[in-house]
Amino acid sequence: MSESTEVINELLQSIGVDTVYRTASLTLLENGESRYLRDLKLNFTSTLKSEHLSAKECGLLGLGVAVNNNNLPLTNFYTKYAAEEGASGEDIAEAAACASLLASNNIFYRFRHFTQKEKYSQIPARIRMQIMMKPVTGKEFFELMSLTISAVNGCEMCVNAHEDSLIKLGTTEERIFDAVRIASLITATGKIIF
């Protein structure tokens, strides 16, 4: 067995996927004996630990990003991981709901931002967002999930609004930075394992 295959098997086992699983991307890396596989494995592992986030929060952020990216293997992994770290069914449902809500918000507000027409800012959005009013995970953490998903989806207006809200809530920049770092690594993993 090659070193690449060993690293792939370790990564797949840690995600809870059968070691025979392959995507076209994973096969390209394996056949090319890519050194990136070790980085991919280490980067994925680093999504589970943070100096500024609890393991439960890492799991819920991972789940929100995986749902947002429509990634079944990672959704299954982070659902299980978050639950093992103390997330309730309501917490887990809220991470999935946040991904769905932010998908609509990011498209809508990115459109408003891109066009920069005053008229579109005056027309009511008519997007129900009751979940944002009293989130079960708490206002600060819901804002953090919203920020990470907005960063993944590339909505500048939403990223700035959520980051501003977090700072006003007393969140440290290190906590914000680490959440976005984790979201970026989950997205990178999802480009190879999906």
Side-chain angles (χ1 to χ4, degrees):
M1 179 181 306
S2 72
E3 181 181 343
S4 291
T5 302
E6 286 179 28
V7 174
I8 288 170
N9 289 347
E10 291 169 8
L11 175 61
L12 292 174
Q13 287 171 341
S14 67
I15 294 172
V17 175
D18 193 304
T19 57
V20 298
Y21 172 89
R22 293 293 184 275
T23 61
S25 305
L26 198 53
T27 301
L28 290 172
L29 294 171
E30 183 176 23
N31 290 344
E33 294 287 322
S34 177
R35 293 175 296 146
Y36 177 67
L37 285 166
R38 190 157 299 286
D39 290 344
L40 181 66
K41 180 184 159 224
L42 292 173
N43 286 340
F44 171 74
T45 302
S46 78
T47 68
L48 308 177
K49 295 181 177 85
S50 167
E51 295 176 25
H52 308 285
L53 300 159
S54 70
K56 173 185 163 182
E57 289 173 329
C58 289
L60 290 171
L61 285 173
L63 175 58
V65 172
V67 169
N68 178 72
N69 294 347
N70 202 28
N71 187 299
L72 184 58
L74 294 179
T75 296
N76 290 340
F77 171 80
Y78 285 108
T79 299
K80 183 179 177 198
Y81 182 79
E84 288 171 352
E85 294 299 331
S88 68
E90 286 181 311
D91 294 334
I92 288 167
E94 191 164 270
C98 182
S100 177
L101 175 60
L102 268 292
S104 66
N105 284 0
N106 293 158
I107 291 168
F108 181 79
Y109 289 104
R110 199 167 50 222
F111 164 77
R112 278 187 172 175
H113 178 75
F114 286 163
T115 61
Q116 297 189 7
K117 287 188 174 180
E118 185 63 32
K119 178 69 175 179
Y120 295 131
S121 295
Q122 297 169 356
I123 300 170
R126 295 182 49 206
I127 298 172
R128 297 243 338 140
M129 298 184 246
Q130 291 302 104
I131 194 168
M132 286 184 149
M133 298 292 114
K134 291 179 83 176
V136 296
T137 55
K139 182 70 174 159
E140 189 269 352
F141 188 70
F142 195 88
E143 284 288 334
L144 196 60
M145 284 193 295
S146 298
L147 170 67
T148 60
I149 292 167
S150 296
V152 169
N153 292 340
C155 181
E156 179 183 355
M157 179 182 246
C158 296
V159 166
N160 287 329
H162 292 297
E163 195 267 351
D164 183 60
S165 292
L166 284 162
I167 296 297
K168 287 176 179 169
L169 288 168
T171 306
T172 65
E173 290 171 330
E174 291 80 8
R175 182 170 162 82
I176 293 167
F177 186 87
D178 215 23
V180 174
R181 177 192 66 81
I182 288 169
S184 74
L185 296 175
I186 293 164
T187 300
T189 303
K191 298 295 182 185
I192 305 298
I193 298 171
F194 50 87

